[in-house]
């Protein structure tokens, strides 16, 4: 950071949840670290390139076993690249995000006693930092039992709506679904991802992971932002908004909403 709160570089990459897909997470994190270090190094016009301390907030880092496994894998990959990283620190994404939100809130001339962070990413959680420095977490139990308001749950709502659609138009005694004569783009997009016959859909359902459901979330966001959104997408989105409303505080606090779904969701809640 230059000065107090201005980042000198940024980079956006893919999913990095240790618990959802460990191998993908490690590949994503190595790419992220390499690109950020390259950007910082290019900004240094005089003197040698410094060693870097890298702190990462990751879903799944609450597990000591996963954290140690990730540290070992990252150190191995960075060593192969002759990286200038001298120290790696892994923590839960909920902790790192809350630290950032608290820093921003407390930099203001006036702030309330507590800081609340609502994260709507692939999953979701609510973290509250109190004036006595205690931290309280709500949610974050993971998919499919929790993560209300997150991308995976939104994708799951879309899949459930699509299955109900197939049931409605399923041809009698047939394995193939007979879609309506003019299915919406939303239904067509879901059909492309899941299939239109029972065998293909069941195969998708049996193999689908949290990340697969989350990849369907943008289809919903795109659909509800069309000039004439289809009613099925609108119903799915309203269910999502209700889940998010239940996460938001009813008392006064500095509330920050972050994550890939934050902007699209807040536009419909304001």
């Amino acid at each position: 950071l230059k000065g107090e709160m201005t980042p000198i570089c940024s980079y956006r990459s893919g999913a990095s949840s240790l618990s959802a897909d460990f191998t993908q997470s490690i590949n994503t994190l190595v790419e992220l670290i390499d690109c950020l270090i390259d950007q910082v190094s290019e900004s240094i016009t005089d003197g040698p390139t410094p060693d870097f301390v890298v702190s990462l907030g990751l879903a799944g880092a609450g597990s000591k076993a996963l954290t140690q496994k990730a540290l070992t894998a990252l150190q191995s990959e960075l060593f192969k690249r002759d990286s200038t990283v001298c120290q790696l620190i892994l923590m839960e994404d909920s902790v790192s995000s809350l630290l950032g939100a608290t820093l921003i809130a407390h930099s203001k001339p006036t702030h309330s006693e507590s800081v609340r962070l609502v994260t709507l990413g692939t999953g979701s959680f609510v973290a509250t930092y109190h004036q006595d420095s205690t931290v309280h977490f709500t949610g974050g139990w993971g998919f499919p039992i929790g993560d209300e308001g997150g991308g995976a749950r939104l994708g799951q709502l879309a899949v459930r709506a699509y299955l109900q659609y197939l049931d409605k138009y399923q041809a009698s005694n047939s394995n193939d679904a007979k879609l309506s004569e003019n299915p919406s783009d939303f239904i067509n997009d879901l059909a492309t991802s899941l299939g239109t016959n029972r065998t293909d859909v069941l195969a998708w359902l049996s193999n689908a992971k949290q990340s697969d459901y989350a990849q369907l979330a943008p289809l919903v966001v795109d659909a509800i932002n069309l000039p004439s959104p289809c009613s099925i997408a609108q119903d799915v989105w309203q269910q999502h908004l209700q889940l998010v409303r239940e996460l938001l505080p009813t008392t006064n606090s500095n509330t920050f909403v972050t994550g890939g779904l934050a902007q699209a969701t807040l536009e419909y809640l304001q």
Side-chain angles (χ1 to χ4, degrees), residues 6-263:
T6 305
I8 61 176
C9 64
S10 63
Y11 183 76
R12 185 164 186 164
S13 58
S16 59
S17 171
L18 298 178
S19 52
D21 190 326
F22 183 85
T23 300
Q24 179 185 357
S25 174
I26 297 301
N27 292 336
T28 297
L29 292 172
V30 170
E31 174 190 345
L32 175 67
I33 293 170
D34 282 346
C35 289
L36 287 175
I37 288 179
D38 285 345
Q39 289 185 42
V40 174
S41 298
E42 290 174 1
S43 70
I44 299 174
T45 56
D46 57 342
T49 301
D51 290 334
F52 292 88
V53 176
V54 176
S55 178
L56 301 169
L58 304 170
S63 164
K64 291 183 178 180
L66 269 181
T67 299
Q68 186 55 54
K69 182 180 178 182
L71 278 171
T72 301
L74 286 171
Q75 288 167 348
S76 175
E77 289 299 320
L78 293 172
F79 179 78
K80 294 176 185 177
R81 290 164 169 73
D82 195 25
S83 173
T84 54
V85 174
C86 64
Q87 185 179 2
L88 275 170
I89 302 170
L90 303 189
M91 65 184 75
E92 286 186 88
D93 55 347
S94 55
V95 175
S96 62
S97 298
L98 183 60
L99 288 174
T102 302
L103 179 63
I104 294 172
H106 287 191
S107 68
K108 299 177 181 178
T110 58
H111 57 83
S112 62
E113 294 184 354
S114 63
V115 178
R116 182 167 298 193
L117 177 74
V118 179
T119 297
L120 308 175
T122 298
S124 69
F125 65 85
V126 179
T128 305
Y129 180 90
H130 298 285
Q131 191 178 32
D132 61 1
S133 297
T134 58
V135 177
H136 178 247
F137 292 101
T138 305
W141 296 115
F143 184 83
I145 194 64
D147 285 350
E148 294 85 351
R153 178 56 67 89
L154 177 57
Q156 187 185 57
L157 292 173
V159 170
R160 182 177 294 121
Y162 180 65
L163 298 183
Q164 292 171 347
Y165 176 93
L166 290 185
D167 284 341
K168 180 177 180 180
Y169 290 100
Q170 185 79 45
S172 178
N173 300 318
S174 172
N175 183 48
D176 291 316
K178 181 181 179 181
L179 303 184
S180 60
E181 291 185 2
N182 296 300
S184 66
D185 290 341
F186 178 60
I187 290 298
N188 280 330
D189 288 341
L190 289 173
T192 299
S193 297
L194 278 71
T196 58
N197 66 73
R198 190 173 186 85
T199 301
D200 289 345
V201 173
L202 286 173
W204 189 94
L205 292 172
S206 65
N207 293 309
K209 295 182 286 189
Q210 180 186 25
S211 58
D212 296 311
Y213 282 99
Q215 288 173 5
L216 300 177
L219 300 182
V220 184
V221 177
D222 290 343
I224 56 99
N225 283 307
L226 291 173
S228 300
C230 77
S231 59
I232 296 176
Q234 288 179 311
D235 289 344
V236 169
W237 189 245
Q238 288 303 317
Q239 293 175 59
H240 165 72
L241 293 179
Q242 182 56 39
L243 292 174
V244 174
R245 289 188 185 98
E246 294 172 5
L247 295 175
L248 296 175
T250 56
T251 57
N252 291 329
S253 66
N254 279 309
T255 300
F256 295 81
V257 183
T258 65
L261 277 173
Q263 182 176 353

